[in-house]
Amino acid sequence: MAKHDKNDPGVTRQFCSWVEGLTLDDVPEDIRARAKYLILDGLGCAIVASHLPWTEKATNIVLDMEGEGSCPVWGYDKKISPLPAALLNSTQIQGFEIDDWHSLAPVHSNAIVLPALFAAASNAQSQGTRFTGSSLLLSTIAGYETGPRVGLALYGSHMLSRGWHSGVVFGHAQAAAAVSKLLSLPRPQIEDALGIACTQACGLMSAQFSSDAKRMQHGFAARNGLFGALLAAGGYSGIKNVFEEPYGGFLGTFSQGSGKEPPFMENEIVRELGETWQTANIRVKPYAAMAGTHSSIDAIAALQKEHADKLGDLTKITKIIFEMSEAAYKHGGWIAQRPLTATGAQMSCAYAAAAQLLDGQVLVEQFQDSKLNRKEIWDLIEKTECRQTDEFEDFMSQRATVEFVDGSSISKFVKAAKGVDPPLSNEEVVRKFRTFTEGLISDQRQRKIEELVLGLESLEDIAELEELLSEHIKSPFGVTS
């Protein structure tokens, strides 16, 4: 197969040129505003998960390997070198399934972009370079635009159906682009950064079956994308035309066996750049569970509201059926079995629906060890069946049917879950931040983080913000190391 013509300005170079030239003035005011609320949500997610048991385990293991450095590990009052700092802080944001996701091309952008940017900034600040809130905001938006576009070129959620942890595959380029923008790299070096990042891309979706690694995989993308950008900044060359290179290129390789025609759509990476903003399609979760479970939760919540009498006695339920798309089925419709860890429970439509039926909510406390093995919840899980149907192509569309001992049944169709259509408003994002972080940090610290993030354009040094993240944080489970 012929090598890509180096003189052809393919999509990789077009995109890198756009990243290089992007300014805040190019970004519509509503997108700039939304990005700040998304950043606030991402930092709130890190606060919630920083001292959960699996996060503490990962942090203690990595801290044992690492010497002191210049980059804070959030919530631990410790500093290490930039790559492991990005890895651990990403593991926090992705640590409890309450972080953002993109509705068309599944990727958890904050878990990839923010840790990489803060680590890059702290590393540079140790050498005398300071970064303003405006530079953080612009670089974050550059990252928000990158990951989903790479994902759309590979048919978005279809990557999940094929068994790839889609966000980790899409996210390496995302972190590299964001850090490249922060460091003001020129187009050729941005291309090098993406080339180095993309050759490290990976991510197996089987990690969702109770593996601690599920919490860390977006951290691989944050770390490796940061690594690519730092290498490129130092003059290390990367793969050229990495997206469209015919032999061994990113899109050609990851699209093999996709069953799609064409196998990939490279123009999605540059389509309507600066006109259609993928940042607007980033969604914020209201529940502490994988996005594909949210329609299950909403369908059950609606039935509880509409048929309170029928669902007053859960022992009278004989069967619960969820019909869903292929991607949702493979991601959350698998058969849950004991023992189930919090990771597995948060990825299970059956568990999430049972928690909603029992507790009327699916938040942090539903995934404590004491909640996971309740007899009542497993009675409901064992009556639940998830079915894939070709009727639903949309990842979020589901139908729930509950059958009873008297032969009657009730049913509810949900086209899109709460937080997807419509998305959570900016005001709702703030309420989520306050609710989820309450008691984990002081009210004063909580309000100061909120003030600095929502006023990023006025922040002279983002180190002030990261210092607020770095101090000790309590665990929502009440136990810390």
Side-chain angles (χ1 to χ4, degrees), residues 140-163:
T140 300
I141 293 171
Y144 285 167
E145 291 298 308
T146 304
R149 289 178 172 276
V150 174
L152 289 170
L154 289 169
Y155 292 94
S157 62
H158 184 60
M159 290 293 284
L160 283 175
S161 299
R162 295 174 56 213

Side-chain angles (χ1 to χ4, degrees), residues 98-416:
I98 55 173
D99 55 329
D100 67 284
W101 65 290
H102 193 275
S103 61
L104 301 177
V107 56
H108 302 289
S109 294
N110 278 327
I112 292 170
V113 173
L114 298 182
L117 286 175
F118 275 104
S122 293
N123 184 60
Q125 286 165 356
S126 69
Q127 302 167 36
T129 302
R130 300 288 172 179
F131 295 93
T132 65
S134 292
S135 64
L136 174 67
L137 179 59
L138 179 61
S139 302
T140 300
I141 293 171
Y144 285 167
E145 291 298 308
T146 304
R149 289 178 172 276
V150 174
L152 289 170
L154 289 169
Y155 292 94
S157 62
H158 184 60
M159 290 293 284
L160 283 175
S161 299
R162 295 174 56 213
W164 290 106
H165 195 172
S166 56
V168 188
V169 175
F170 309 157
H172 283 66
Q174 185 172 30
V179 175
S180 294
K181 186 62 184 174
L182 183 73
L183 300 180
S184 300
L185 299 187
R187 196 277 304 162
Q189 285 181 294
I190 298 174
E191 184 177 6
D192 286 330
L194 266 61
I196 298 168
C198 284
T199 195
Q200 302 175 80
C202 61
L204 299 177
M205 203 57 248
S206 55
Q208 74 175 24
F209 302 120
S210 296
S211 164
D212 284 341
K214 167 65 176 64
R215 313 289 189 182
M216 186 179 279
Q217 289 192 155
H218 275 66
F220 300 157
R223 176 195 63 192
N224 297 345
L226 169 63
F227 186 45
L230 294 178
L231 283 174
Y236 203 76
S237 65
I239 299 169
K240 306 299 184 184
N241 306 302
V242 69
F243 291 131
E244 68 272 22
E245 178 62 50
Y247 176 68
F250 180 86
L251 296 177
T253 300
F254 276 104
S255 66
Q256 289 185 22
S258 71
K260 294 288 188 178
E261 186 56 45
F264 58 87
M265 301 178 291
E266 64 185 70
N267 287 331
E268 289 293 328
I269 292 175
V270 294
R271 186 168 67 86
E272 298 178 350
L273 271 173
E275 299 175 18
T276 297
W277 294 86
Q278 292 302 325
T279 300
N281 291 317
I282 296 175
R283 299 295 186 251
V284 174
K285 296 179 183 177
Y287 310 124
M290 181 267 293
T293 70
H294 284 215
S295 294
S296 307
I297 296 166
D298 278 353
I300 292 298
L303 289 174
Q304 288 175 308
K305 184 176 181 180
E306 297 169 9
H307 302 277
D309 54 335
K310 295 285 289 183
L311 291 171
D313 184 354
L314 300 181
T315 64
K316 293 184 178 180
I317 294 174
T318 57
K319 197 170 189 63
I320 304 168
I321 301 168
F322 289 101
E323 300 166 87
M324 58 189 67
S325 68
E326 179 187 17
Y329 176 76
K330 288 184 174 178
H331 204 17
W334 48 280
I335 299 174
Q337 297 178 335
R338 297 191 196 192
L340 195 61
T341 66
T343 303
Q346 289 180 300
M347 306 299 293
S348 167
C349 291
Y351 182 92
Q356 177 63 35
L357 279 166
L358 277 174
D359 302 333
Q361 64 179 27
V362 186
L363 301 177
V364 174
E365 66 183 81
Q366 274 63 55
F367 300 96
Q368 297 190 48
D369 285 344
S370 61
K371 299 283 189 179
L372 293 176
N373 287 300
R374 289 175 286 173
K375 178 182 183 301
E376 299 88 349
I377 210 162
W378 280 96
D379 285 345
L380 292 169
I381 291 171
E382 288 165 2
K383 294 175 182 177
T384 301
E385 179 184 350
C386 296
R387 300 174 180 173
Q388 178 187 332
T389 174
D390 293 336
E391 179 183 350
F392 303 146
E393 293 184 0
D394 191 308
F395 176 65
M396 296 303 295
S397 294
Q398 288 190 30
R399 181 186 295 113
T401 301
V402 182
E403 300 175 354
F404 300 89
V405 292
D406 62 4
S408 64
S409 66
I410 55 178
S411 184
K412 186 69 179 181
F413 169 72
V414 172
K415 180 174 177 55

Side-chain angles (χ1 to χ4, degrees), residues 51 71-79 89 122 445 449 463 465-473:
H51 279 279
C71 303
V73 179
W74 300 338
Y76 286 81
D77 198 24
K78 293 183 181 294
K79 292 184 177 182
N89 294 335
S122 293
R445 186 174 166 196
I449 292 171
L465 174 58
E466 190 166 40
E467 184 177 350
L468 291 168
L469 300 171
S470 304
E471 300 167 9
H472 186 70
I473 297 167

